Amino acid sequence: MIRILSKIWPVLIIFALWFLFCFPFFTKGLIPFPSKYLVTFFAPWNASYGMPVKNNAMPDIITQIYPWKQITIDTWKQGQIPLWNPYAFAGTPHGGNYQTAVFSPINILFFILPFVDAWSIMVLLQPLLAALGTYVFLRALDRSRIASTIGAIGFMFCGFITTWMAYGTLGYAALMLPWILWSIAQNFKKNAFISRITLPLFIALSFLSGHFQISLYVCIASVVFICFEGLQKRNSKEVLRSLLGMCIGVGLAAPQLLLTYHAYIASTRLDSFIRSDVIPWQYLITLFSPDFYGNPVTRNDWFGHYAEWASYVGIVPLLLAVFAVSRKLKGYIRFFAVLGCFSLFFAYPTPFNDLLYALKLPAISTSAASRIIILFSFSLAALSAFGLDELVAAWKEKNKKSVFLFIIVWILFLVILWMMLLFVKPFPLDKLVIAKRNCLLPTVLTLGTLFFMSVGFFKKYKQYMFLVVFLLGLSMFDSYRYVSKWMPFDPREYVYPEVKSLTFLQKQTGYNRAFGNIGGEAGMMFSIPLIEGYDAMYQGRYGEFINAASRGIVSPGSRSVVTIDKHGVFTKETLQLLGVRYIYHRVADGRNVWAFPVWEYPDGQIKQIYKDEQYEIYEDTNAFPRVFLASSYEVITDSQKIIDRLFSANFDRRNSIILETTPQLEPSIGIGDAQIVMYSPNVIIIKTTSDTNKLLFLSDVYDAGWEAYIDGKKTEVYRADYDFRAVGVPSGSHTIEYRYRPKAFRI
């Protein structure tokens, strides 16, 4: 038993720290989801709830990630692949969004556990898997058990893993890095069957985790490590084999990658190149004191983007990493030092960062460059393991010079830092107070670490382990303090609780749409089709159409959000065309400018069908049905001319549509009817009856992946009324079936 414990105690330490972090979930039933933030700040719940909120820096989890996961699992359970989201943007790609992670194996949890528990386990597993992967990788590099444990803890709750953990996507994409590197290291050590299999699997898992940018960084770092190992071991054959394994991994993720490419080329992201979230150099101080500029949790952050720029790994790993580089800059230490510096150069304002923007690389130049900082944090964590082993070696060799010189340099750093804070006072008084307070604990931890580093020269070899254990304890304390401060554990009963007005609207809507001062999270969680939304991968042309409702001018949509001008010149006509039959209005909004002006509708056109203390619901009796048969068309190809004609006073939008190509079937005036008989994310079935040829209009967003079949025979889908769908339907009774089957995904 003792022999077994001597081998597995690091894993037990990692599990113990993880369980301590997860204690509120396992013992109190609280979940790692900002539910108090949800009901306090987001409509319609904020009309009924109000309470203190721990962390308000993670709104995307509420508005995007959790609702997307709900759609993903619901669609899988319907027996369909979650490719399309019908509840936002009048329809939008879902699987192609990438952050929905529809093919992630972690989704299996949601078929085993209740949804909220599956979500919690999915989130909480990330630091555990990150730590275990880092540990086995460092052991593969012949680091000692305790050194590997400190490195694992440094990465386990590093700034990036901590601040993005609640999303359940970026963390999984990043934590595969040590597992991939372990596979590569094992391949170069011996011809191991397991590592041959795991390398492509871990690559695929990273790319299926929900964040392409992070997976790409992981892939690049892995390729560099393969090349480094090849040069170091002089084994070009293994370089080729490992690169082939990575290619196979990318191939395994191809369904997701090609699906995303299909959505990407039609989205606003195609040309959305940004120069944002470059970390300023003065933010390096947060490696020492992560809350030097405040923290969103304590509502005193005043500089920077905390979540995007966080790179903290803990005081002990930081000092050990620097010690490793100062003592022996060669071998793996050189590799991780170069990798860390390389990531810094791209995250901070340097010519390398400028190059990223100038090259306009998809997924890189269109996202926050600062996220490459994950490679820096991992490099520091890995270097800390080398640093501890080098420290023990220095103790054994009685090499006091290198250690005491290192200690002196760090003490000088502390002296200069505190002289700046106490005497130079570089910030206003209120901000200076924050900086000084948040430097106290890091200073104490630094002095404690330096003390233990020096005491090693006055102890016998057998007592070194006690000193190292103290360093491990300091690292565990620091990591737990950091992550527990950031991560909220909130009551599960506040996770999108039932609201009477939403329940009524859900039952009333049918195939019609709704509109009001509610976000896409309400639509997705309660299956209510909305026309607005928040998603970086929404279709660009739809954004142009919604923008045109304001003044009739075609202009590009915003980067991630689609909102219609509530007082636009053509807003009512747009809502009518999109089949918006129900208006959701908060009573307290009254006639304020941010409320939709239901009071401006003519008498009799709109009527109130529901009212409670917080909300009222109106029905627009003139709203078009989601599907209808048109008797005529016009062909216009110029974008602005389409909008001009569509909203002109003499254009009958109910009986005529605008196409961009001439249809194969010529419609004519006559009696006809169209009814939706089945509507699901990927399949829509419509029954039509007419005594003449017609054009069937569906006010769902056009996408090249949609195919249409009339009585089982494939027919062409036309882009209609700027960004919607139409098919030619012959006279008589027919069944029209829409199927979403993007060609790239089928390939």
Side-chain angles (χ1 to χ4, degrees):
M1 185 66 179
I2 296 176
R3 190 174 181 180
I4 295 174
L5 286 176
S6 67
K7 293 183 178 181
I8 68 169
W9 68 262
V11 175
L12 297 179
I13 289 289
I14 291 171
F15 267 93
L17 181 58
W18 178 73
F19 183 80
L20 180 64
F21 165 63
C22 302
F23 191 79
F25 172 72
F26 288 119
T27 62
K28 300 179 181 179
L30 301 177
I31 59 171
F33 178 85
S35 62
K36 289 183 179 179
Y37 181 34
L38 162 65
V39 298
T40 301
F41 285 91
F42 293 84
W45 301 277
N46 61 352
S48 305
Y49 297 85
M51 60 192 73
V53 174
K54 178 177 181 177
N55 190 333
N56 63 354
M58 44 182 71
D60 289 0
I61 299 168
I62 293 169
T63 57
Q64 294 182 319
I65 307 298
Y66 194 99
W68 286 342
K69 187 62 70 178
Q70 184 76 58
I71 291 176
T72 295
I73 302 306
D74 286 348
T75 307
W76 276 121
K77 289 182 176 180
Q78 292 176 34
Q80 297 185 27
I81 302 174
L83 301 179
W84 190 260
N85 175 1
Y87 304 115
F89 305 102
T92 187
H94 183 70
N97 180 335
Y98 206 92
Q99 293 188 77
T100 54
V102 299
F103 301 110
S104 173
I106 204 71
N107 290 335
I108 295 173
L109 287 173
F110 294 87
F111 292 86
I112 302 172
L113 301 171
F115 193 95
V116 71
D117 291 310
W119 171 272
S120 301
I121 295 297
M122 178 189 74
V123 169
L124 296 175
L125 278 177
Q126 293 170 99
L128 178 62
L129 295 176
L132 293 176
T134 305
Y135 176 78
V136 298
F137 169 59
L138 292 173
R139 289 291 291 156
L141 300 188
D142 301 321
R143 297 301 93 202
S144 66
R145 286 189 174 88
I146 197 162
S148 300
T149 306
I150 284 184
I153 291 171
F155 188 58
M156 180 181 192
F157 292 128
C158 71
F160 187 92
I161 297 290
T162 294
T163 58
W164 292 109
M165 189 192 312
Y167 289 69
T169 53
L170 292 87
Y172 277 104
L175 69 82
M176 290 300 160
L177 176 59
W179 291 102
I180 294 168
L181 298 186
W182 170 81
S183 300
I184 296 169
Q186 289 295 97
N187 286 342
F188 275 94
K189 271 189 171 183
K190 53 187 176 180
N191 191 10
F193 174 77
I194 293 179
S195 56
R196 293 262 177 251
I197 299 298
T198 56
L199 176 56
L201 286 179
F202 290 143
I203 288 288
L205 287 173
S206 180
F207 277 105
L208 295 176
S209 295
H211 205 277
F212 180 78
Q213 181 189 14
I214 302 304
S215 297
L216 188 58
Y217 293 150
V218 166
C219 193
I220 292 171
S222 302
V223 170
V224 174
F225 186 69
I226 289 173
C227 296
F228 173 80
E229 283 282 67
L231 290 172
Q232 187 171 247
K233 305 288 176 58
R234 300 184 183 279
N235 190 342
S236 59
K237 289 183 179 180
E238 184 53 49
V239 170
L240 295 177
R241 282 194 290 262
S242 293
L243 290 176
L244 177 60
M246 292 192 63
C247 291
I248 293 173
V250 174
L252 291 174
Q256 176 66 76
L257 297 174
L258 293 176
L259 191 61
T260 298
Y261 174 76
H262 171 86
Y264 178 79
I265 59 176
S267 73
T268 56
R269 275 294 173 100
L270 184 63
D271 298 312
S272 182
F273 299 103
I274 60 171
R275 192 189 292 270
S276 67
D277 279 322
V278 177
I279 310 175
W281 287 109
Q282 61 264 41
Y283 211 75
L284 276 174
I285 189 64
T286 59
L287 285 172
F288 168 77
S289 171
D291 297 342
F292 186 84
Y293 297 108
N295 190 306
V297 174
T298 50
R299 309 295 193 275
N300 61 5
D301 57 313
W302 58 274
F303 176 72
H305 193 159
Y306 193 94
E308 292 280 6
W309 298 357
S311 56
Y312 189 66
V313 294
I315 292 296
V316 174
L318 174 64
L319 266 63
L320 291 175
V322 176
F323 181 73
V325 173
S326 66
R327 181 171 161 85
K328 187 190 292 183
L329 190 58
K330 62 181 181 179
Y332 289 115
I333 294 177
R334 177 183 295 176
F335 171 80
F336 287 113
V338 172
L339 180 64
C341 291
F342 182 81
S343 60
L344 274 185
F345 292 154
F346 280 99
Y348 283 74
T350 66
F352 293 96
N353 188 280
D354 295 336
L355 181 64
L356 278 183
Y357 178 78
L359 292 176
K360 300 191 182 307
L361 301 173
I364 300 296
S365 305
T366 58
S367 299
S370 59
R371 290 175 189 163
I372 199 173
I373 203 70
I374 180 60
L375 299 183
F376 179 67
S377 295
F378 179 74
S379 298
L380 287 179
L383 284 168
S384 68
F386 287 89
L388 184 58
D389 284 343
E390 287 296 324
L391 177 62
V392 173
W395 286 341
K396 292 179 183 179
E397 299 166 2
K398 300 298 182 181
N399 187 351
K400 297 181 180 180
K401 182 178 180 181
S402 61
V403 176
F404 283 108
L405 180 61
F406 176 81
I407 292 173
I408 291 171
V409 170
W410 272 97
I411 291 176
L412 284 175
F413 164 77
L414 293 177
V415 169
I416 293 171
L417 174 64
W418 280 101
M419 288 183 65
M420 292 284 292
L421 295 176
L422 294 174
F423 302 109
V424 178
K425 300 179 180 180
F427 312 126
L429 183 60
D430 57 333
K431 297 176 176 60
L432 194 62
V433 170
I434 296 169
K436 287 192 292 186
R437 182 173 63 245
N438 291 330
C439 277
L440 287 174
L441 183 58
T443 299
V444 172
L445 291 173
T446 300
L447 292 174
T449 303
L450 297 177
F451 171 75
F452 286 120
M453 291 178 71
S454 64
V455 169
F457 290 105
F458 305 102
K459 293 288 183 181
K460 294 180 180 179
Y461 169 65
K462 292 182 180 180
Q463 295 175 309
Y464 290 157
M465 182 57 66
F466 293 103
L467 296 176
V468 174
V469 167
F470 278 119
L471 292 178
L472 176 61
L474 284 179
S475 182
M476 293 173 67
F477 164 76
D478 192 12
S479 292
Y480 174 72
R481 175 199 64 84
Y482 177 67
V483 70
S484 60
K485 181 176 183 178
W486 176 265
M487 193 68 183
F489 283 89
D490 286 351
R492 61 183 63 210
E493 59 264 29
Y494 297 142
V495 179
Y496 306 95
E498 184 175 347
V499 178
K500 291 184 294 182
S501 56
L502 277 184
T503 302
F504 174 86
L505 188 60
Q506 183 183 29
K507 296 177 180 178
Q508 188 74 19
T509 304
Y511 298 125
N512 299 293
R513 290 195 174 98
F515 173 69
N517 281 338
I518 51 174
E521 63 277 3
M524 288 184 282
M525 293 303 298
F526 286 81
S527 302
I528 300 170
L530 303 177
I531 65 168
E532 297 181 324
Y534 171 36
D535 177 3
M537 292 286 282
Y538 79 88
Q539 196 191 89
R541 194 172 173 96
Y542 180 72
E544 295 173 0
F545 174 79
I546 293 298
N547 276 0
S550 180
R551 293 181 297 134
I553 299 174
V554 173
S555 59
S558 65
R559 178 175 168 79
S560 300
V561 180
V562 167
T563 55
I564 194 169
D565 182 353
K566 293 182 174 64
H567 303 276
V569 177
F570 302 110
T571 296
K572 293 177 182 177
E573 291 83 352
T574 300
L575 298 182
Q576 183 185 55
L577 179 65
L578 289 175
V580 176
R581 193 172 186 86
Y582 301 101
I583 308 297
Y584 191 71
H585 181 76
R586 185 171 178 174
V587 174
D589 285 346
R591 296 194 174 190
N592 286 301
V593 67
W594 58 81
F596 181 71
V598 293
W599 54 88
E600 293 182 359
Y601 276 84
D603 292 339
Q605 180 179 339
I606 194 167
K607 59 181 180 180
Q608 187 183 92
I609 59 173
Y610 175 90
K611 186 174 182 179
D612 60 24
E613 299 83 2
Q614 283 88 30
Y615 283 91
E616 51 191 359
I617 299 174
Y618 294 89
E619 180 179 7
D620 180 3
T621 56
N622 284 2
F624 292 177
R626 285 279 289 279
V627 293
F628 61 82
L629 294 173
S631 302
S632 62
Y633 68 91
E634 296 181 23
V635 176
I636 306 175
T637 56
D638 181 79
S639 297
Q640 186 59 57
K641 290 180 179 178
I642 293 174
I643 293 298
D644 292 341
R645 182 57 178 151
L646 184 63
F647 292 131
S648 62
N650 62 346
F651 185 75
D652 185 359
R653 287 180 295 276
R654 180 60 178 80
N655 293 298
S656 185
I657 60 178
I658 299 174
L659 303 177
E660 296 174 36
T661 58
T662 303
Q664 297 177 355
L665 186 147
E666 192 70 23
S668 61
I669 297 174
I671 298 173
D673 181 64
Q675 297 292 331
I676 298 175
V677 296
M678 197 274 275
Y679 194 101
S680 66
N682 299 339
V683 179
I684 305 168
I685 298 177
I686 304 166
K687 295 281 189 181
T688 64
T689 302
S690 62
D691 54 12
T692 61
N693 296 339
K694 295 287 185 179
L695 286 170
L696 174 67
F697 178 83
L698 172 64
S699 58
D700 283 12
V701 163
Y702 175 88
D703 186 285
W706 280 100
E707 297 176 346
Y709 298 82
I710 299 178
D711 301 327
K713 185 178 180 181
K714 190 173 182 180
T715 188
E716 186 174 355
V717 180
Y718 304 105
R719 192 194 298 271
D721 287 358
Y722 201 84
D723 198 39
F724 305 98
R725 303 178 217 159
V727 295
V729 180
S731 60
S733 297
H734 301 282
T735 299
I736 293 86
E737 181 177 359
Y738 276 102
R739 300 176 193 166
Y740 190 57
R741 302 176 68 237
K743 184 178 180 181
F745 175 71
R746 296 202 309 274
I747 292 173

